[in-house]
Amino acid sequence: MTRVATASRTATRSLGSRLGTTGLVYLALVGVLLVSSVFVAVQGGNLFTAANTVDLFTRSSLLGFLAIGMTLVILCRSLDLSVGYVAALSTVIAGTTMAGDPSRIVLGVTVTLGAAALIGLANGLVVTKLRVNPFIATLGTGLIIKGYLDTQFQGPTGSIPAQFQMFGLSRIGVLPVSTLVMLVLAVLAVLYLRRTRMGFHMYAVGGDAEVARLSGVRPELPVITAHVLCSVMAGMAGLLLASRFGTGNTLVYNNGYELEAIAAVVLGGTYLLGGRGGVAGTVAGVFILATLDTVFNTLGVDPFVKDVLRGTIVIAAVAIYARGQLSRTAVRVRFPSGGTPPASSGPGDPPEPPPLPPAPEPLVRGGKR
């Protein structure tokens, strides 16, 4: 029995090493889809009807915009708890700027994304220049936005032209246009992280900011860039919400989008302490959460039970990733018990340090030893 268990663990580790964290997340997504479809079928339903598929993709688009941006800041060992408030503010800016006029759509999109970028710039500067913990800095920014929205606006605000509402309502077959845009931005984010110098710098700063600095990287710039891009993606989410509502909605921040985005990022295999992960895994995490929501709504599961199940799944995923990380970083025993040190290091071992020279004898009075 012990040999069987050992062989099973070895096979699991071997599969994990071949697929990597991102591959395991997509494998988990396939498993969730299969198990969910069987469970819904047992209850007399069909998970893959056109309506359910559209609902799944529609849910994934909004969360995807927020999670892509959140991935960038978490990779830099930072955090952004203001994205839900930025999305709410973006709906208001879009609604009031467009004012129902189709000729002002470009202006409304530009102003909305520009305002979101400025908020991200402020977050990045507070975190890097004032050395404020990102949790506190972005939470404070979110509360400032919340106070402004609560005091200046009551109820729906502005109007979105019908032409722009197609962004949130139209689809190609069962694939909403918003989901297609989200996937295109996800691909661009993957290329940005893997092919550009700033993307490499984000990983370096998230891994170890001091080592990155000694290597010639300015640690502040990647963090600021990540916060700006994160807020821009929150602005995109706000534009999507505005197109669906047809107006600005100040109460969007009550939906807890920032926590869902963090859950999707963590579920996608991105290390919360930065330096490991990526957008590709985050997209799979988004679809896992969207699939669960679709299943829960199809079966009429109580909302409180939904939160419990989603929280349990996120905790289990983090625990699995943590165990895998510990197994990869475990210190290997160089000299087994009862054995003798090897004559030379293997090809994968660091070279042995040269022996220290003998200490000189102390001098005595008169210059004699």
Side-chain angles (χ1 to χ4, degrees):
M1 181 64 73
T2 304
R3 292 181 179 179
V4 173
T6 303
S8 176
R9 287 195 296 269
T10 303
T12 303
R13 281 196 291 267
S14 177
L15 177 63
S17 62
R18 289 198 301 268
L19 293 178
T21 303
T22 301
L24 290 176
V25 176
Y26 277 93
L27 188 62
L29 172 60
V30 174
V32 169
L33 287 171
L34 292 177
V35 173
S36 299
S37 62
V38 171
F39 191 75
V40 173
V42 170
Q43 301 296 322
N46 182 6
L47 179 63
F48 297 110
T49 62
N52 287 339
T53 305
V54 171
D55 179 65
L56 188 154
F57 282 127
T58 301
R59 292 176 181 277
S60 66
S61 58
L62 177 62
L63 180 58
F65 285 131
L66 296 171
I68 291 171
M70 190 68 73
T71 303
L72 300 179
V73 294
I74 291 179
L75 282 176
C76 294
R77 197 175 290 194
S78 189
L79 197 65
D80 194 339
L81 296 181
S82 67
V83 291
Y85 302 96
V86 174
L89 179 63
S90 297
T91 66
V92 173
I93 295 176
T96 54
T97 304
M98 295 181 188
D101 186 356
S103 64
R104 296 171 64 89
I105 291 179
V106 175
L107 177 62
V109 172
T110 304
V111 172
T112 301
L113 297 183
L118 289 176
I119 295 173
L121 178 62
N123 282 336
L125 290 175
V126 171
V127 170
T128 57
K129 300 300 182 182
L130 299 182
R131 306 293 182 183
V132 179
N133 185 281
F135 182 96
I136 301 299
T138 56
L139 179 60
T141 300
L143 293 177
I144 292 173
I145 297 174
K146 178 181 182 297
Y148 171 74
L149 293 175
D150 290 343
T151 55
Q152 298 297 322
F153 302 96
Q154 301 294 331
T157 303
S159 177
I160 302 297
Q163 291 83 344
F164 189 73
Q165 293 183 32
M166 301 303 293
F167 172 52
L169 301 178
S170 61
R171 64 177 188 265
I172 302 173
V174 296
L175 185 65
V177 173
S178 58
T179 305
L180 182 61
V181 173
M182 183 271 291
L183 292 175
V184 170
L185 290 177
V187 172
L188 292 177
V190 171
L191 295 176
Y192 179 79
L193 289 172
R194 295 183 178 180
R195 300 293 179 84
T196 66
R197 179 173 297 182
M198 183 59 69
F200 294 142
H201 289 179
M202 286 182 179
Y203 279 105
V205 171
D208 194 315
E210 183 61 21
V211 172
R213 186 186 65 81
L214 294 176
S215 302
V217 177
R218 297 175 58 189
E220 298 84 4
L221 189 56
V223 176
I224 294 174
T225 303
H227 275 285
V228 170
L229 294 177
C230 181
S231 290
V232 169
M233 295 304 295
M236 285 293 301
L239 289 172
L240 175 58
L241 289 170
S243 67
R244 290 178 181 175
F245 293 142
T247 183
N249 190 336
T250 60
L251 300 180
V252 167
Y253 58 74
N254 286 329
N255 294 324
Y257 288 130
E258 57 279 350
L259 299 181
E260 287 195 29
I262 295 173
V265 173
V266 172
L267 195 59
T270 297
Y271 194 39
L272 267 179
L273 295 180
R276 290 187 178 90
V279 174
T282 295
V283 173
V286 167
F287 279 110
I288 289 175
L289 293 180
T291 300
L292 294 176
D293 280 345
T294 301
V295 171
F296 294 154
N297 287 337
T298 302
L299 301 178
V301 178
D302 186 271
F304 296 105
V305 178
K306 288 167 53 177
D307 291 337
V308 171
L309 292 176
R310 291 179 63 175
T312 303
I313 291 171
V314 171
I315 292 174
V318 174
I320 293 172
Y321 298 151
R323 287 177 63 87
Q325 184 67 24
L326 288 174
S327 65
R328 286 193 297 269
T329 58
V331 178
R332 182 164 52 89
V333 178
R334 293 182 61 88
F335 308 135
S337 177
T340 58
S344 61
S345 301
D349 296 331
E352 296 292 340
L356 295 176
E361 297 180 10
L363 293 177
V364 296
R365 258 176 151 176
K368 296 181 180 180
R369 295 184 181 275

